[in-house]
Amino acid sequence: MGKNWYALKVFFNKVFEAEASLEEMGIETYFPVSLKEIKGEEFFRIKKRLSTPDNSRNDNQYICEGPRIFKRAPVVNSLVFFRTEPKNVSAVSEMIRGRGFVYMNAERQKPAIIPERQMEMFRMVSSSGADGLEFFSEKSIVSYAKGDRVRVTMDGPLKGAEGYIKRIKKDRRLLVAIEGFIAVATAHIPPEYLEKVQE
């Protein structure tokens, strides 16, 4: 049986701990993060900390790129996506017990499966580094009018992204959503760089 994407609600903003636990189980994870470069005294403190192995400490929120260190900050504090075979989801539920839960489908019978294409488009846009990205909970986005389904044609990090045009704060923006969970809106994209996509 193939692998599916699922979503995990993590309590107490412990997304990095959940990410580390899932990766120890050999499970792929994803959640959108922003990066902040560490400088000054904090840089030397973190550099020393990272150079001292200590398995009791969780340092996966830092990324070293050559001489630079970046701190990862989750865009949404409590949401982690993971990809695994259906047979492993119960082990994930057991691992997170008391610290979170796996989202269930509308009937609350089975874990909610996230369509691969939705996840692919969301990851592409949310990790693009494009300016002006804004994240919304699925509940908060429903108040905005939904428009045509389109694909971005301009060169750059968003080329090929598909989503819906929505009017948000008086501006027409591309919205890419994982239905029922989260959405990301780009900055304004001129209409000449968009093409309609058949539903």
Side-chain angles (χ1 to χ4, degrees), residues 136-146 166-168:
F136 298 88
S137 70
E138 187 68 14
K139 290 177 184 174
S140 68
I141 203 67
V142 294
S143 60
Y144 297 110
K146 185 173 175 181
K166 286 209 176 206
R167 189 170 293 282
I168 301 171

Side-chain angles (χ1 to χ4, degrees), residues 8-15 18 77-80 96 99-100:
L8 195 63
K9 173 79 170 181
V10 182
F11 302 148
F12 318 117
N13 298 334
K14 301 285 189 182
V15 292
N77 286 328
S78 59
L79 187 62
V80 175
I96 200 71
R99 298 180 294 142

Side-chain angles (χ1 to χ4, degrees), residues 50-185:
L50 294 176
S51 64
T52 309
D54 182 354
N55 292 332
S56 66
R57 192 173 53 221
N58 199 333
D59 288 324
N60 60 336
Q61 72 186 92
Y62 297 100
I63 296 175
C64 296
E65 291 186 2
R68 303 163 78 194
I69 300 174
F70 295 88
K71 184 175 183 179
R72 301 163 66 213
V75 172
V76 180
N77 286 328
S78 59
L79 187 62
V80 175
F81 298 102
F82 66 98
R83 187 172 184 258
T84 191
E85 296 175 354
K87 65 181 182 180
N88 296 331
V89 178
S90 58
V92 172
S93 292
E94 193 59 38
M95 177 275 295
I96 200 71
R97 186 181 303 278
R99 298 180 294 142
F101 59 86
V102 175
Y103 282 93
M104 304 300 279
N105 63 13
E107 296 78 32
R108 305 208 46 85
Q109 301 291 319
K110 295 180 181 176
I113 295 174
I114 297 167
E116 190 76 30
R117 185 71 174 159
Q118 283 184 22
M119 194 70 204
E120 178 187 350
M121 287 295 112
F122 180 78
R123 289 183 73 174
M124 177 185 178
V125 173
S126 63
S127 64
S128 68
D131 292 333
L133 296 182
E134 189 172 356
F135 291 83
F136 298 88
S137 70
E138 187 68 14
K139 290 177 184 174
S140 68
I141 203 67
V142 294
S143 60
Y144 297 110
K146 185 173 175 181
D148 295 325
R149 183 165 182 80
V150 295
R151 180 183 300 115
V152 178
T153 59
M154 70 177 175
D155 287 334
L158 297 175
K159 185 172 183 176
E162 293 179 13
Y164 291 94
I165 290 298
K166 286 209 176 206
R167 189 170 293 282
I168 301 171
K169 299 175 184 172
K170 300 182 180 179
D171 203 1
R172 295 177 76 238
R173 299 165 70 182
L174 178 72
L175 187 91
V176 177
I178 296 179
E179 292 176 16
F181 296 99
I182 190 171
V184 58

Side-chain angles (χ1 to χ4, degrees), residues 38-49 69:
I38 304 295
K39 295 184 177 180
E41 286 183 28
E42 187 182 9
F43 171 84
F44 294 104
R45 184 172 50 81
I46 297 298
K47 184 176 181 179
K48 182 178 179 183
R49 177 175 155 182
I69 300 174

